[in-house]
């Protein structure tokens, strides 16, 4: 079995068992299971990093044109943000969100390949990398804000109805902690999303000689930016917190998922993966295990 296939299986197994053990630990209240799940998730992230580096080393610059690479990179970015917040805020519950999402995205990465596009010339490569890197980090932060928002609304309802907290509910962090995750994600995510959007327009100008082409993906991206800008302003300058910011973060995150999964696969766009499923393009794809 080729080395890349072995890495794929190891990452998949680490994420799957990490998510499973973490969930079982939370539901049963057994800390050793949660610890084991956390350790496997971290091990999966380390192996995932090696897998991305190996893919770049094997495919060279062609890896930057593979849908496989982008979905895998998005999963990696999500875990990176999760592990940072996990370490900084001691939020073990983030594993319940990040590990399953990373597993889904990493597994999905093996089903798609992207259209072969011309590599940007001159400074195009710089803006291309900035575009992808900044957007993926921003999307990952939005996912964390969405998870924290869902936890906030769920826990708030439990408290208002005076229901007894047990099992999963008992393991949730305090409302103030969920709100802190939202604040951090919005404060860091909006500037990153703005950088990603602007660098994408610059890259489009250098590559296709036009900044905006009314592509569905670009229109959705502008809508997300406007909503994100509103949330950023209300959160940091007006002082919004709690339920309002939780709900808005969830809606924005859902819109980015629509952009990523619906627009890319089912709507005609030059960002589409729909015409390049299972090796339909001429770009080499890693052999499936």
């Amino acid at each position: 079995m080729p080395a890349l296939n072995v890495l794929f299986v190891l990452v998949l197994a680490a994420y799957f068992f990490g998510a499973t053990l973490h969930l079982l630990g939370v539901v049963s209240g057994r800390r050793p299971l949660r610890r084991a799940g956390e350790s496997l998730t971290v091990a999966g992230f380390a192996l995932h990093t090696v897998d991305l580096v190996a893919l770049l080393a094997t495919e060279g610059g062609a890896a930057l044109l593979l849908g496989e690479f982008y979905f895998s990179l998005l999963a990696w970015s999500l875990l990176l943000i999760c592990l940072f917040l996990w370490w900084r805020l001691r939020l073990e519950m983030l594993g319940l969100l990040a590990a399953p999402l990373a597993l889904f995205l990493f597994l999905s990465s093996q089903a798609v390949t992207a259209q072969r596009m011309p590599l940007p010339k001159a400074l195009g490569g710089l803006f291309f990398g900035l575009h992808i890197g900044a957007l993926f980090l921003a999307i990952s932060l939005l996912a964390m804000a969405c998870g924290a928002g869902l936890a906030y609304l769920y826990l708030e309802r439990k408290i208002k109805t005076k229901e007894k907290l047990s099992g999963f509910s008992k393991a949730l962090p305090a409302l103030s902690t969920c709100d802190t995750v939202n604040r951090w994600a919005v404060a860091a995510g909006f500037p990153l999303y703005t950088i990603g959007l602007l660098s994408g327009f610059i890259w489009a100008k250098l590559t296709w000689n036009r900044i905006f082409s009314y592509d569905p993906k670009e229109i959705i991206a502008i809508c997300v930016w406007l909503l994100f800008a509103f949330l950023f302003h209300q959160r940091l300058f007006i002082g919004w917190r709690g339920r309002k910011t939780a709900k808005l973060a969830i809606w924005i995150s859902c819109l980015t998922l629509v952009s990523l999964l619906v627009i890319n696969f089912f709507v005609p766009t030059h960002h589409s993966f729909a015409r390049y499923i299972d090796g339909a393009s001429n770009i080499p794809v890693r052999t499936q295990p």
Side-chain angles (χ1 to χ4, degrees):
M1 181 182 289
L4 284 179
N5 290 349
V6 173
L7 272 175
F8 168 78
V9 172
L10 289 175
V11 174
L12 198 62
Y15 282 162
F16 175 78
F17 288 111
T20 302
L21 289 177
H22 195 94
L23 177 60
L24 288 175
V26 168
V27 173
S28 66
R30 296 181 179 179
R31 191 168 185 81
L33 285 178
R34 289 169 63 178
R35 290 289 188 185
E38 293 165 9
S39 299
L40 281 173
T41 300
V42 173
F45 178 77
L47 290 169
H48 193 167
T49 304
V50 175
D51 183 68
L52 283 174
V53 173
L55 184 59
L56 282 171
T58 302
E59 302 291 349
L64 299 178
L65 306 179
L66 294 173
E68 172 190 359
F69 177 79
Y70 291 126
F71 270 72
S72 183
L73 183 62
L74 180 57
W76 184 90
S77 301
L78 181 69
L79 257 294
L80 177 67
I81 296 299
C82 169
L83 291 174
F84 174 77
L85 292 176
W86 201 339
W87 163 75
R88 190 67 179 81
L89 298 176
R90 298 293 187 267
L91 286 179
E92 296 179 347
M93 286 298 296
L94 287 177
L96 284 177
L97 170 68
L101 275 178
L103 173 65
F104 170 74
L105 289 172
F106 183 73
L107 191 58
S108 299
S109 72
Q110 303 304 299
V112 299
T113 59
Q115 179 180 9
R116 182 183 290 275
M117 298 175 291
L119 284 173
K121 55 186 177 180
L123 293 178
L126 171 64
F127 291 111
F128 178 68
L130 193 60
H131 171 62
I132 296 300
L135 279 182
F136 277 12
L137 288 175
I139 291 172
S140 299
L141 284 164
L142 267 175
M144 293 297 103
C146 177
L150 289 171
Y152 185 98
L153 296 176
Y154 176 80
L155 189 58
E156 184 188 48
R157 183 180 64 82
K158 286 279 188 179
I159 293 173
K160 284 185 176 181
T161 56
K162 298 182 179 180
E163 295 182 41
K164 184 178 179 181
L165 299 180
S166 59
F168 172 80
S169 302
K170 194 174 181 180
L172 289 173
L175 289 177
S176 59
T177 304
C178 293
D179 192 63
T180 298
V181 173
N182 179 286
R183 176 168 54 84
W184 282 31
V186 171
F190 176 68
L192 283 169
Y193 195 89
T194 302
I195 292 171
L197 206 60
L198 291 177
S199 56
F201 289 143
I202 295 173
W203 175 58
K205 177 63 177 178
L206 293 172
T207 305
W208 295 304
N209 200 32
R210 61 176 184 265
I211 294 177
F212 192 77
S213 57
Y214 296 95
D215 183 86
K217 182 83 172 181
E218 296 170 353
I219 294 173
I220 290 291
I222 293 294
C223 292
V224 169
W225 184 86
L226 290 172
L227 288 172
F228 212 165
F230 177 72
L231 176 58
F232 181 81
H233 178 265
Q234 299 301 103
R235 166 98 245 193
L236 272 68
F237 296 99
I238 303 300
W240 272 20
R241 55 182 302 174
R243 170 183 287 269
K244 290 181 180 179
T245 57
K247 286 185 174 181
L248 191 50
I250 292 170
W251 280 109
I252 296 173
S253 184
C254 289
L255 190 57
T256 61
L257 285 179
V258 169
S259 174
L260 183 67
L261 300 178
V262 178
I263 300 295
N264 274 1
F265 282 99
F266 302 108
V267 177
T269 164
H270 58 249
H271 293 85
S272 178
F273 293 144
R275 293 168 296 171
Y276 305 94
I277 303 296
D278 294 329
S281 72
N282 295 322
I283 301 174
V285 181
R286 178 168 47 178
T287 305
Q288 301 297 314

